[in-house]
């Protein structure tokens, strides 16, 4: 599991019991989320945009007002925003769908997009160009980490390694640090996430049908099933 520990543990806990019983789970976060010490100004802001739970948590910790509507990407971010006190609405499962949805809704602006230092989609710029004025501010860092010793040992073994990859940035880091000889089975949350992985010598790559935890769990379940067929020692 390459995500930060808490997110990885939630994902694994929701896998079917039969799947969990047939794998050895190794936690090796390759990105560390670190909030930035910034002041978030919401003066004149008419709505928030959240594209990750990390941004929601950073905003909540910074005391950002909860009386603004929040437009979110995906069910997890939406649920996190709701739990933190915002009137949250899911507007698509990707940045592209968010932009298209907001251009259709045309909410009162300006909006404020809180994001990580590294993000995709140019959301604020595109919305502003199309008449929905949007500011953006980075509120957390994504620090790159190496594989843990346990993960590195597994990468050098002969048992299949299944790696769920949840973002293009994680994919780039994984491609840079993977030097293993173990059979590699990859689950990617989106087409964009697959691009950095194509340089790896993997056995199989499965793309989630939708960029959601539910579809990623289904992709992992299918990879486990396939891996069991080819390796009696898995």
């Amino acid at each position: 599991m390459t995500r930060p520990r808490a997110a990885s543990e939630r994902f694994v806990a929701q896998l079917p019991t039969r799947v969990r019983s047939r794998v050895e789970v190794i936690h090796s976060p390759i990105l560390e989320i670190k909030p930035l010490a910034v002041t978030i100004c919401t003066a004149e802001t008419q709505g928030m945009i959240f594209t990750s739970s990390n941004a929601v948590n950073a905003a909540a910790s910074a005391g950002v007002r909860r009386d603004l509507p929040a437009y979110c990407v995906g069910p997890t971010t939406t649920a996190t925003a709701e739990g933190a006190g915002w009137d949250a609405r899911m507007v698509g499962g990707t940045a592209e769908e968010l932009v298209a949805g907001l251009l259709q809704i045309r909410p009162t602006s300006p909006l404020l997009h809180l994001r990580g230092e590294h993000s995709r989609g140019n959301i604020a710029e595109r919305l502003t160009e199309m008449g929905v004025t949007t500011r953006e501010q980075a509120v957390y860092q994504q620090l790159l980490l190496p594989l843990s010793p346990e993960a590195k040992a597994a990468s050098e073994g002969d048992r299949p390694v299944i790696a769920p990859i949840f973002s293009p940035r994680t994919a780039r880091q994984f491609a840079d640090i993977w030097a293993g000889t173990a059979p590699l089975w990859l689950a990617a949350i989106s087409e964009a996430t697959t691009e950095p992985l194509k340089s790896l010598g993997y056995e199989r790559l499965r793309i989630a049908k939708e960029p959601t935890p539910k579809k990623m769990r289904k992709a992992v379940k299918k990879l486990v099933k396939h891996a069991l067929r080819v390796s009696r020692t898995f």
Side-chain angles (χ1 to χ4, degrees):
M1 296 302 301
T2 58
R3 302 178 87 187
R5 184 70 181 239
S8 287
E9 288 179 344
R10 287 194 299 270
F11 182 84
V12 171
Q14 293 175 354
L15 287 170
T17 302
R18 181 174 174 82
V19 172
R20 294 201 308 272
S21 69
R22 294 181 174 224
V23 299
E24 174 191 358
V25 178
I26 296 174
H27 291 280
S28 179
I30 59 177
L31 287 182
E32 178 184 359
I33 304 302
K34 184 177 180 180
L36 292 169
V38 295
T39 299
I40 302 172
C41 178
T42 57
E44 300 184 3
T45 299
Q46 300 298 309
M48 308 297 297
I49 296 176
F50 294 122
T51 48
S52 74
S53 294
N54 296 319
V56 175
N57 293 333
S61 296
V64 173
R65 30 190 290 226
R66 311 297 206 277
D67 61 340
L68 296 169
Y71 305 101
C72 305
V73 169
T76 301
T77 301
T78 306
T80 302
E82 286 178 343
W86 275 280
D87 178 14
R89 173 177 179 177
M90 188 175 103
V91 187
T94 65
E96 291 294 328
E97 292 175 357
L98 174 80
V99 170
L102 287 176
L103 290 177
Q104 185 174 19
I105 297 168
R106 293 276 167 181
T108 304
S109 60
L111 306 178
L112 175 60
H113 177 206
L114 299 183
R115 57 172 180 79
E117 282 189 324
H118 302 276
S119 67
R120 295 171 58 88
N122 298 320
I123 290 171
E125 179 182 348
R126 292 166 62 194
L127 287 172
T128 298
E129 287 177 350
M130 298 299 291
V132 180
T133 303
T134 303
R135 296 188 300 111
E136 62 179 345
Q137 183 174 358
V139 292
Y140 64 90
Q141 293 175 300
Q142 301 129 307
L143 305 178
L144 301 177
L145 300 174
L147 289 176
S148 68
E150 188 179 9
K152 191 172 186 303
S155 77
E156 295 168 351
D158 56 6
R159 292 194 299 167
V161 171
I162 295 175
I165 307 294
F166 289 84
S167 72
R169 183 160 172 76
T170 303
R172 287 192 295 273
Q173 174 66 353
F174 187 81
D176 286 343
I177 63 178
W178 176 267
T181 55
L184 182 60
W185 300 61
L186 297 167
I189 198 167
S190 66
E191 285 283 354
T193 301
T194 68
E195 288 303 317
L197 302 173
K198 291 179 179 178
S199 62
L200 297 174
Y202 53 80
E203 296 287 329
R204 185 180 291 266
L205 171 63
R206 180 172 286 275
I207 305 170
K209 291 186 177 180
E210 296 175 6
T212 64
K214 180 178 179 180
K215 295 301 183 182
M216 277 293 281
R217 288 193 294 272
K218 187 171 183 179
V220 169
K221 178 181 177 180
K222 289 185 176 181
L223 286 179
V224 171
K225 182 178 180 180
H226 286 304
L228 285 169
R229 289 176 181 172
V230 301
S231 177
R232 295 296 181 183
T233 61
F234 183 61

